[in-house]
Amino acid sequence: MVWLIASEYFVAHNGVKQDGVASPVLFCIYIDDLLVRLAQSADVGCFIGFNFVGALAYADDIVLIAPTPSAMRQLLLICDMYAAEYDIMFNANKSKFMYFGAQNRRSLHNAMKECIVEIGGNRILHVDSFSHFGHIITSKLDESEDILQKHNCFIGQVNNVLCFLNN
């Protein structure tokens, strides 16, 4: 015997259910046109050979990669136009801007900290490191912060096991 249970109709004003099983798939379907538009933007973003790698999407995250601040602004402008067309909002408060470059070019590195990039008219915060899917990514492109975090987490878990076994 099969039981079917139906809920009342409701209106979804914005977004998909957080942690819903279908949410990543629905997001990908909904955002696919934006990714196509970003890929078709001529000479903007990053390429490996002829393959566009300037916009990477997973679940409800989008990473934009551009070789210059002006190229990044062009990609963000495409996102703004898409958002206006489909009545969606990109959250600048959850967004980060990071510059990857040679550390020995200190003047360029410092100038990039003053660079302003915006989404939806709101400034995106410049950072030197951030956590993404449990890993710490730094502008220095080294793993020391990530390894230290994993090390500290491991020590904490060992201490929890030892406390549990001593009871």
Side-chain angles (χ1 to χ4, degrees), residues 15 17 21 46 56 61 70 83 89 91 93 97 101 103 110-111 115:
K17 182 179 177 187
V21 175
C46 287
L56 309 172
D61 288 339
S70 62
M89 291 177 46
N91 191 342
N93 293 329
F97 166 66
Q103 295 299 312
N110 290 335
C115 184

Side-chain angles (χ1 to χ4, degrees), residues 81-96:
M81 291 186 302
Y82 184 84
E85 184 178 342
Y86 288 94
D87 195 28
I88 62 173
M89 291 177 46
F90 292 100
N91 191 342
N93 293 329
K94 290 185 177 181
S95 301
K96 306 290 183 263

Side-chain angles (χ1 to χ4, degrees), residues 154-167:
F154 175 72
I155 296 298
Q157 290 173 343
V158 168
N159 284 334
N160 285 339
V161 169
L162 292 175
C163 288
F164 177 77
L165 293 176
N166 284 336
N167 287 333

Side-chain angles (χ1 to χ4, degrees), residues 18-152:
Q18 188 70 28
D19 297 326
V21 175
S23 296
V25 174
L26 293 172
F27 175 79
C28 288
I29 292 168
Y30 192 75
I31 214 72
D32 186 61
D33 188 46
L34 172 61
L35 298 174
V36 169
R37 290 180 192 190
L38 291 167
Q40 290 174 343
S41 57
D43 300 326
V44 178
C46 287
F47 292 84
I48 296 177
F50 294 108
N51 297 310
F52 177 74
V53 292
L56 309 172
Y58 179 78
D60 64 347
D61 288 339
I62 300 173
V63 176
L64 298 179
I65 305 168
T68 65
S70 62
M72 178 59 72
R73 287 186 192 101
Q74 289 179 29
L75 292 176
L76 290 168
L77 179 62
I78 293 168
C79 291
D80 278 338
M81 291 186 302
Y82 184 84
E85 184 178 342
Y86 288 94
D87 195 28
I88 62 173
M89 291 177 46
F90 292 100
N91 191 342
N93 293 329
K94 290 185 177 181
S95 301
K96 306 290 183 263
F97 166 66
M98 184 183 298
Y99 164 74
F100 298 96
Q103 295 299 312
N104 60 355
R105 299 186 64 193
R106 204 33 111 191
S107 61
L108 179 60
H109 189 73
N110 290 335
M112 291 305 293
K113 287 185 178 184
E114 302 303 319
C115 184
I116 296 173
V117 292
E118 296 178 338
I119 187 80
N122 298 307
R123 188 173 182 170
I124 298 174
L125 178 67
H126 176 273
V127 295
D128 287 322
S129 68
F130 70 98
S131 179
H132 186 67
F133 293 119
H135 295 282
I136 297 176
I137 300 170
T138 68
S139 60
K140 296 177 184 176
L141 297 176
D142 70 7
E143 300 87 19
S144 58
E145 285 186 44
D146 192 47
I147 291 170
L148 179 62
Q149 179 207 28
K150 299 294 187 251
H151 175 264
N152 291 342

